[in-house]
Amino acid sequence: MTDTLRDPATSSDIRRYQHFIDGKPGSGSGEVIARYSPVSGQVVAEYAAGTEADIDAAVLAARNAFNSGVWSDLPGLARGRALNRLASVLRNHVDELIALDAAEVGTPQRVARGPVEAGIGQIDFAASLASTLHGEIHTNLGPDFTGLLVREPLGVVGLIVPWNFPTLILCQKLGYALAAGCTAVVKPSEFTSGSAVRVAELALEAGIPEGVVNVVTGYGNPVGQRLAEHPDVDLVSFTGSTATGQRVLESSKSNLKRVSLELGGKAAQIVFADADLDDAVEGVLFAAIHNQGECCVAGARLLVEDSVADEFLDRLAKRAGDLRLGGPDDEADLGALIHPDHMRKVLDYINVGVQEGASIRAGGGQLDHPEYAQGCFVQPTILDNVTPTDRVFQEEIFGPVVTVTRFSGADEAIELANVVEYGLGNTVWTKNIDKALTVTRRLHSGTVWVNTTIDGSPQLTFGGYKASGYGREMGKAGFEEYTQIKTIQIRTGTRVGKFGLLS
Ligand code: NDP
């Protein structure tokens, strides 16, 4: 990271994490990565800088655990009970997980709380699925045949997790992989590895056997890359940028492993004139700034119907101006961006938008925070008069920036929403049920919210259309990603001439 960040106040403020392989901590090469808080500029954590050898050791541990059957051969009910214990242990440590995610992400603890709790909820739900791993019986194949379709765990899975919601995204992969009977090697982001190591330690405490959950911290290359390439990994589930997702896909070709990709987004918030505008103002603002806009389903594009646009924007800009920015311990609505380079990228996008003809309705630049001189704070920003060909309309910014484009009628709104390469999650605000249903069916995205936004429940499957990726997380479909189907065909009795051969 190229910046002017400071040393920590005292070395006791730094949390230190090693890899977690085969139930034991390990420092690997001894090299470490320092995590600088994007709020204070001080070091808040140090992680082991993993190597290819560390990944190889973790994959071997996961393979041995899988082959031993110590996890995959357990009855589903027993795996479910272990996952329930894990959820309970995580709940006992929820404040710790919130504190370390908040410190490493640079977000207020009150913002980090919801996603961490939702992550634990994913483990609860995954536990309930563990005993549902069953197949089909076919007895309609003729009198002497029985067919079985059996669902089996895939094997060793690699879970590559980004920095924006470290605990949540880990849990929405790990819970389902474990429920299916897989064993895992986790590669968290180099910026936010603490919670992944803690979840692995707590999994052991909850009675999940050694080698079932392994974590290797370190840089995308070599650690993530080796995991994606590894010939003994059966599936890689990746969340992150589209560019890195393409690299993961390339790496996975070595052994044709399965790949699940949850990539970027450029979600539209479509506000019709007949919406409850009070709700819509709050929802649009929340979607734009939640987690500093560092969210794959951030409501980055406001599409607002002409007849209410001016009033809506006045109200939105006023509310945006009231938002509080602060550090992990502050009563704030949003925090700092993940690191200085990312902040500069977001600020560049704001400039690009203005050069392309946008006008700034709120925010527009870095915030010189009175308490945090080193803080990577960007003001919640509304860019008005944005057109569909503008870069800020098309490209993922991943910061607290929302573009505004006006439309007239549902057809134009749908066309504008669908014109981007991404298709992750769009939102429709209207009180007209016919319009809501018609529009949701014509939107090209894996999720559509109506009169709510960035909501979720573990039962509800999540994933992308178009460049937002493929594969599904959460829900029954997310669980089945970690399984494969074996077909067993059985012939009973003897039937001469069955194969049509001359005797
Ligand atoms: P990346 O896609 O680079 O990172 C996601 C994960 O992949 C991290 O754990 C990263 O490790 C790892 N990784 C990096 N390179 C490789 C590789 N060659 N092979 C395997 N794994 C790798 O995201 P960034 O952190 O760079 O963020 C950049 C952009 O990605 C954001 O601006 C945003 O647009 C998007 N993004 C989208 C997210 C989403 O939820 N859809 C989440 C996060 C980012 P490491 O962190 O150590 O580099």
Side-chain angles (χ1 to χ4, degrees):
M1 204 161 71
T2 54
D3 47 49
T4 54
L5 297 170
R6 291 182 282 140
D7 288 332
T10 67
S11 70
S12 63
D13 295 340
I14 306 174
R15 296 182 174 99
R16 294 190 167 80
Y17 300 94
Q18 301 187 336
H19 308 308
F20 194 76
I21 300 174
D22 210 10
K24 292 173 275 303
S27 55
S29 68
E31 297 289 312
V32 297
I33 298 172
R35 172 58 178 146
Y36 294 87
S37 160
V39 173
S40 67
Q42 294 177 343
V43 178
V44 288
E46 276 181 8
Y47 320 120
T51 60
E52 292 192 353
D54 296 321
I55 282 290
D56 291 351
V59 172
L60 183 64
R63 174 57 63 194
N64 288 340
F66 184 78
N67 288 351
S68 73
V70 66
W71 183 248
S72 57
D73 284 352
L74 281 182
L77 275 174
R79 278 204 305 278
R81 279 196 299 274
L83 286 168
N84 278 324
R85 285 197 303 275
L86 174 58
S88 165
V89 172
L90 293 176
R91 226 164 244 123
N92 292 339
H93 290 264
V94 67
D95 290 337
E96 176 197 344
L97 292 168
I98 290 165
L100 61 91
D101 271 4
E104 294 173 24
V105 174
T107 199
Q109 287 194 27
R110 61 186 289 275
V111 175
R113 176 169 293 278
V116 170
E117 288 176 346
I120 299 172
Q122 298 285 345
I123 305 286
D124 284 324
F125 180 64
S128 76
L129 292 176
S131 53
T132 68
L133 195 65
H134 55 74
E136 297 171 15
I137 299 181
H138 290 257
T139 53
N140 196 20
L141 310 172
D144 51 355
F145 280 111
T146 300
L148 308 177
L149 300 185
V150 182
R151 254 186 206 280
E152 297 183 339
L154 257 183
V156 174
V157 298
L159 309 179
I160 302 180
V161 180
W163 42 257
N164 50 348
F165 297 107
T167 301
L168 171 62
I169 296 178
L170 170 63
C171 290
Q172 78 187 36
K173 295 179 189 296
L174 184 66
Y176 299 85
L178 295 183
C182 295
T183 59
V185 176
V186 178
K187 190 292 193 212
S189 166
E190 73 199 50
F191 303 109
T192 57
S193 299
S195 52
V197 177
R198 286 299 287 138
V199 168
E201 290 168 351
L202 295 170
L204 192 67
E205 193 178 315
I208 294 176
E210 293 167 0
V212 173
V213 182
N214 306 276
V215 177
V216 179
T217 60
Y219 295 111
N221 188 6
V223 173
Q225 186 144 331
R226 176 64 183 159
L227 186 56
E229 281 169 0
H230 203 289
D232 204 22
V233 171
D234 300 299
L235 169 143
V236 166
S237 174
F238 169 86
T239 300
S241 62
T242 300
T244 309
Q246 284 165 332
R247 278 200 291 281
V248 166
L249 194 55
E250 194 61 39
S251 304
S252 72
K253 281 166 34 182
S254 61
N255 67 334
L256 295 175
K257 62 175 62 66
R258 289 207 202 164
V259 179
S260 168
L261 299 172
E262 203 271 89
L263 307 177
K266 191 73 184 177
Q269 293 278 330
I270 305 174
V271 178
F272 285 100
D274 56 16
D276 177 328
L277 294 188
D278 293 336
D279 264 9
V281 167
E282 288 299 303
V284 166
L285 193 61
F286 173 79
I289 63 94
H290 177 51
N291 209 47
Q292 306 75 243
E294 294 168 324
C295 180
C296 51
V297 285
R301 295 180 297 145
L302 167 61
L303 309 178
V304 57
E305 194 150 22
D306 271 334
S307 56
V308 292
D310 288 338
E311 178 200 344
F312 192 83
L313 282 175
D314 285 345
R315 292 173 63 181
L316 192 69
K318 179 167 181 327
R319 287 287 291 119
D322 294 339
L323 294 172
R324 300 154 301 175
L325 282 75
D329 299 325
D330 297 332
E331 277 296 304
D333 302 297
L334 64 166
L337 295 183
I338 191 75
H339 55 65
D341 287 348
H342 185 58
M343 177 181 69
R344 283 189 277 274
K345 180 182 137 187
V346 171
L347 293 172
D348 282 350
Y349 266 118
I350 295 173
N351 288 333
V352 166
V354 170
Q355 281 159 20
E356 287 174 326
S359 48
I360 293 179
R361 286 291 289 255
Q366 185 176 0
L367 176 78
D368 288 327
H369 200 288
E371 273 181 65
Y372 308 108
Q374 305 278 325
C376 299
F377 291 98
V378 171
Q379 299 165 324
T381 297
I382 301 174
L383 291 177
D384 196 2
N385 299 313
V386 169
T387 65
T389 52
D390 292 345
R391 281 184 60 200
V392 289
F393 189 94
Q394 292 288 339
E395 297 174 19
E396 188 177 42
I397 299 175
F398 228 60
V401 180
V402 58
T403 65
V404 183
T405 306
R406 292 159 172 75
F407 68 84
S408 170
D411 286 341
E412 192 184 5
I414 293 163
E415 196 181 323
L416 285 167
N418 286 340
V419 77
V420 297
E421 64 172 326
Y422 296 109
L424 200 54
N426 291 306
T427 299
V428 182
W429 299 92
T430 176
K431 283 296 180 190
N432 179 323
I433 185 70
D434 289 1
K435 194 186 290 177
L437 285 174
T438 306
V439 174
T440 54
R441 290 178 66 155
R442 289 175 58 194
L443 288 173
H444 302 159
S445 57
T447 295
V448 182
W449 287 286
V450 178
N451 297 329
T452 184
T453 192
I454 315 192
D455 236 333
S457 193
Q459 295 91 327
L460 300 180
T461 292
F462 180 76
Y465 281 18
K466 306 193 285 185
S468 292
Y470 48 75
R472 289 293 178 266
E473 298 205 325
M474 299 157 49
K476 188 162 174 283
F479 173 60
E480 290 178 351
E481 289 280 321
Y482 295 99
T483 69
Q484 56 194 341
I485 296 176
K486 177 179 284 170
T487 301
I488 302 172
Q489 186 170 11
I490 305 165
R491 184 160 65 88
T492 48
T494 311
R495 202 168 60 171
V496 176
K498 160 81 177 68
F499 295 103
L501 300 177
L502 298 174
S503 53

